[in-house]
């Protein structure tokens, strides 16, 4: 192991770097990558020519772009359709929380209200007035709401979509933006159906009936490949909510996927896994950027500044994956169990606790060794990352597992 960590890249390693880079991104489907094909190609080109400086700056630019590019989501629909509830569900904010979008209120103004995501500062959800209320032709409506700034539109309804909304969708497409038809409150539909037909009630059948009636109407109104997502804002893990989130993720430009995915609450294991995949690519790029220019020998102990940075990155991951102390307290209160009970099956809260004589640096080195022996493949790629990056991968693994454990526990209680 010593050798793997102690060398710095030599000139003849550039070919290796290029193939390692190419190989790494082959692990991810095009739709899951957090950098675009063009960026991947550009970096490969630099590496092929041995232009480490160029590769480094292309990776830097890509990372900076991922960190700073704004993501704006437009949510439109008539009053009562469930816009505010949908925005809260996407932000992972409970309706009663302080900065929640107020639900159940009839709007008296035509105001456009932005809601910033509590964890991802670059993501804003915009609550737009319904087009039916505004009585504007679609083009004027889109001008009024400044359509250019949105990445996509979510058109929310709890009844059938009106002609206004269908025309709006067509206009959005003409402007080369994506839209998604979302039908809220399907939980209520199912409940009603169950009450009316207690003996013959069939959940899937009812959902399919609702879906096909919508697709029918949309097709009749000239939408050629209609899609409608049936959701409940009160249960974002169920119905089409997770499928909707997945579509939004895949259809975003690559550089926006990372932050969008990190913003999504832990609704399903698949969503947690996507978060993990995004975060891992990000750290990998950081490591690559740092590593390929690294001239410092990577032997010996971890520097204090590295240890501090690692502590900070673990807390950051815990927040992003919803397993930080505050989130755990919150969850415990919701589930009416002591927080210790939630914590006892988790690893991340205790990861950096030291006992007796042990130093944090020493503990981290032990993790590093364990991680290295468990991930032979990663270390065999011919890359020389700094130690701290392997530990960041380790933290990501632990935090992701914790998030999955919590999700499973939440389900086992229902
Ligand atoms: P807005 O006017 O479009 O912002 O709609 P709100 O989000 O304020 O929702 C109006 C009402 O519908 C509120 O009482 C919500 O709690 C309720 N509501 C919203 N979405 C759902 C849903 O998916 N299922 C159920 N059962 N109720 C919902
Ligand atoms: Mg509202």
């Amino acid at each position: 192991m010593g050798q793997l960590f102690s060398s710095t890249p030599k000139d003849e390693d550039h070919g290796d770097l290029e193939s390692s880079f190419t190989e790494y991104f082959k692990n991810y489907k095009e739709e899951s990558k957090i950098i675009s094909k063009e960026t991947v190609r550009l970096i490969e080109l630099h590496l092929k020519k041995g232009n480490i400086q160029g590769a480094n700056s292309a990776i830097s630019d890509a990372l900076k772009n991922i960190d700073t590019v704004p993501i704006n989501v437009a949510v439109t629909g008539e009053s009562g359709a469930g816009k505010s509830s949908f925005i809260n569900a996407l932000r992972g904010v409970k309706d009663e929380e302080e900065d929640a979008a107020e639900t159940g209120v009839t709007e008296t103004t035509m105001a456009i209200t932005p809601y910033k995501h509590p964890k991802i500062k670059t993501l804003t959800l915009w609550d737009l007035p319904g087009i039916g209320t505004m009585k504007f032709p679609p083009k004027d409506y889109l001008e009024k709401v400044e359509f250019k700034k949105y990445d996509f539109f979510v058109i929310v309804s709890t009844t059938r979509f009106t002609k206004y909304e269908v025309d709006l969708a067509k206009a959005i497409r003409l402007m080369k933006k994506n839209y998604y038809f979302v039908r809220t409150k399907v939980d209520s539909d199912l409940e009603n159906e169950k009450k009316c037909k207690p003996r013959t009630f069939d959940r899937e059948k009812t959902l399919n009936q609702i879906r096909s009636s919508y697709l029918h109407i949309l097709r009749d109104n000239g939408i050629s490949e209609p899609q409608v997502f049936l959701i409940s804002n009160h249960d974002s893990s169920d119905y089409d909510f997770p499928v909707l989130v997945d579509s939004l993720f895949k259809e975003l430009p690559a550089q926006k996927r990372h932050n969008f995915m990190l913003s999504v609450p832990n609704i399903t294991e698949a969503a947690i896994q996507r978060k993990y995949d995004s975060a891992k690519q990000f750290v990998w790029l950081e490591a690559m950027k740092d590593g390929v220019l690294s001239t410092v020998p990577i032997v010996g102990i971890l520097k204090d500044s590295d240890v501090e940075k690692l502590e900070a990155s673990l807390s950051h991951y815990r927040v992003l994956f919803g397993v930080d102390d505050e989130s755990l307290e919150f969850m415990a209160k919701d589930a009416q169990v002591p927080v210790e009970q939630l914590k006892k099956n988790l690893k991340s809260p205790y990861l950096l606790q030291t006992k007796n004589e042990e130093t944090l640096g020493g503990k981290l080195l032990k993790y590093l060794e364990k991680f290295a022996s468990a991930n032979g493949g990663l270390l065999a790629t011919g890359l020389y990352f700094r130690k701290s990056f392997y530990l960041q991968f380790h933290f990501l693994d632990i935090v992701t597992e914790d998030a999955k454990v919590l999700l499973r526990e939440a389900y086992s209680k229902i």
Side-chain angles (χ1 to χ4, degrees):
M1 190 186 93
Q3 201 229 326
L4 281 168
F5 286 115
S6 60
S7 327
T8 43
K10 295 176 220 67
D11 282 348
E12 60 267 32
D13 287 340
H14 293 155
D16 273 2
L17 276 176
E18 188 215 341
S19 63
S20 301
F21 183 85
T22 305
E23 283 305 311
Y24 183 75
F25 277 97
K26 273 194 196 144
N27 292 329
Y28 298 95
K29 285 191 189 145
E30 206 50 55
E31 64 197 33
S32 312
K33 286 180 188 163
I34 65 167
I35 52 174
S36 67
K37 246 195 231 152
E38 294 70 35
T39 309
V40 171
R41 228 174 271 142
L42 178 69
I43 296 167
E44 281 171 352
L45 204 70
H46 285 312
L47 290 174
K48 190 174 262 163
K49 288 186 187 151
N51 181 0
I52 300 294
Q53 192 71 50
N56 180 279
S57 92
I59 296 175
S60 266
D61 288 350
L63 287 169
K64 198 164 153 211
N65 202 3
I66 290 170
D67 260 342
T68 54
V69 68
I71 309 170
N72 290 295
V73 177
V75 182
T76 174
E78 298 312 315
S79 182
K83 293 183 299 296
S84 304
S85 308
F86 178 70
I87 287 173
N88 291 339
L90 262 192
R91 291 159 79 225
V93 175
K94 294 257 159 69
D95 285 351
E96 294 160 335
E97 273 176 57
E98 217 169 83
D99 69 340
E102 231 182 295
T103 56
V105 287
T106 314
E107 284 131 40
T108 48
T109 63
M110 293 294 147
I112 296 174
T113 318
Y115 292 95
K116 282 219 169 289
H117 190 279
K119 292 179 190 170
I120 305 298
K121 301 296 172 215
T122 51
L123 175 67
T124 311
L125 293 132
W126 298 80
D127 189 331
L128 308 185
I131 184 167
T133 317
M134 304 272 279
K135 303 240 156 43
F136 287 129
K139 251 183 130 179
D140 295 354
Y141 175 88
L142 288 176
E143 293 295 339
K144 283 257 186 308
V145 300
E146 300 178 38
F147 74 94
K148 282 201 185 105
K149 70 169 170 246
Y150 306 112
D151 288 289
F152 54 83
F153 287 76
V154 178
I155 307 174
V156 177
S157 174
T158 182
T159 53
R160 68 185 188 83
F161 293 98
T162 62
K163 176 158 172 34
Y164 286 115
E165 287 160 337
V166 173
D167 288 345
L168 176 64
K170 290 178 187 164
I172 292 171
R173 191 48 51 82
L174 276 180
M175 305 297 184
K176 307 233 178 324
K177 300 265 177 185
N178 281 340
Y179 66 83
Y180 300 85
F181 282 123
V182 167
R183 161 65 151 81
T184 59
K185 306 190 195 179
V186 284
D187 53 321
S188 305
D189 292 77
L190 288 181
E191 221 164 88
N192 289 337
E193 184 77 5
K194 207 171 176 178
K195 262 187 213 145
C196 299
K197 302 178 185 163
R199 275 179 297 133
T200 55
F201 172 73
D202 178 338
R203 178 188 149 116
E204 285 313 307
K205 205 172 132 200
T206 310
L207 287 172
N208 281 335
Q209 274 167 354
I210 301 174
R211 191 188 313 280
S212 49
S213 74
Y214 274 85
L215 296 183
H216 227 84
I217 294 169
L218 291 174
R219 234 176 254 126
D220 284 352
N221 280 284
I223 305 268
S224 57
E225 282 175 51
Q227 216 185 350
V228 57
F229 297 88
L230 310 179
I231 68 161
S232 164
N233 289 319
H234 297 165
D235 191 355
S236 48
S237 302
D238 204 350
Y239 312 104
D240 290 342
F241 204 107
V243 188
L244 170 64
V245 166
D246 222 42
S247 303
L248 300 177
F249 170 81
K250 287 178 186 166
E251 285 163 29
L252 272 173
Q255 77 272 21
K256 298 194 182 192
R257 288 185 190 137
H258 177 255
N259 267 347
F260 178 76
M261 209 52 224
L262 289 181
S263 81
V264 174
N266 296 343
I267 50 177
T268 57
E269 249 189 81
I272 297 174
Q273 189 61 36
R274 276 215 184 279
K275 267 190 201 190
Y276 172 76
D277 288 345
S278 296
K280 203 164 168 194
Q281 289 177 64
F282 193 89
V283 177
W284 198 90
L285 286 167
E286 280 186 315
M288 182 89 183
K289 179 191 90 170
D290 186 276
V292 293
L293 271 191
S294 169
T295 50
V296 209
I298 341 177
V299 273
I301 53 164
L302 283 164
K303 282 186 290 187
D304 282 352
S305 58
D306 276 341
V307 173
E308 264 166 44
K309 266 189 226 149
L310 283 165
E311 280 185 288
S313 75
L314 179 63
S315 348
H316 181 59
Y317 295 151
R318 288 184 66 203
V319 170
L320 288 178
F321 283 78
V323 297
D324 55 304
D325 289 340
E326 199 184 291
S327 301
L328 293 174
E329 293 280 351
F330 209 85
M331 259 181 264
K333 228 179 238 164
D334 256 11
Q336 297 183 317
V337 295
V339 71
E340 289 70 31
Q341 193 178 319
L342 281 186
K343 275 192 181 174
K344 78 174 193 294
N345 297 323
L346 307 183
K347 290 195 182 128
S348 63
Y350 312 108
L351 204 60
L352 300 186
Q353 271 180 12
T354 49
K355 279 195 216 106
N356 310 326
E357 306 287 280
E358 195 178 29
T359 64
L360 190 49
K363 185 159 190 152
L364 287 168
L365 284 179
K366 271 192 209 144
Y367 286 140
L368 186 63
E369 265 171 56
K370 248 207 236 156
F371 183 78
S373 60
N375 291 274
L378 179 69
L379 298 174
T381 54
L383 289 181
Y384 306 95
F385 288 161
R386 250 190 325 141
K387 279 193 185 98
S388 54
F389 289 109
Y390 293 107
L391 285 161
Q392 285 193 49
F393 288 130
H394 180 54
F395 292 172
L396 264 182
D397 286 348
I398 298 282
V399 165
T400 302
E401 189 48 38
D402 279 356
K404 289 182 182 174
V405 167
L406 274 183
L407 184 74
R408 274 178 228 136
E409 274 179 16
Y411 274 101
S412 65
K413 279 199 195 74
I414 298 167

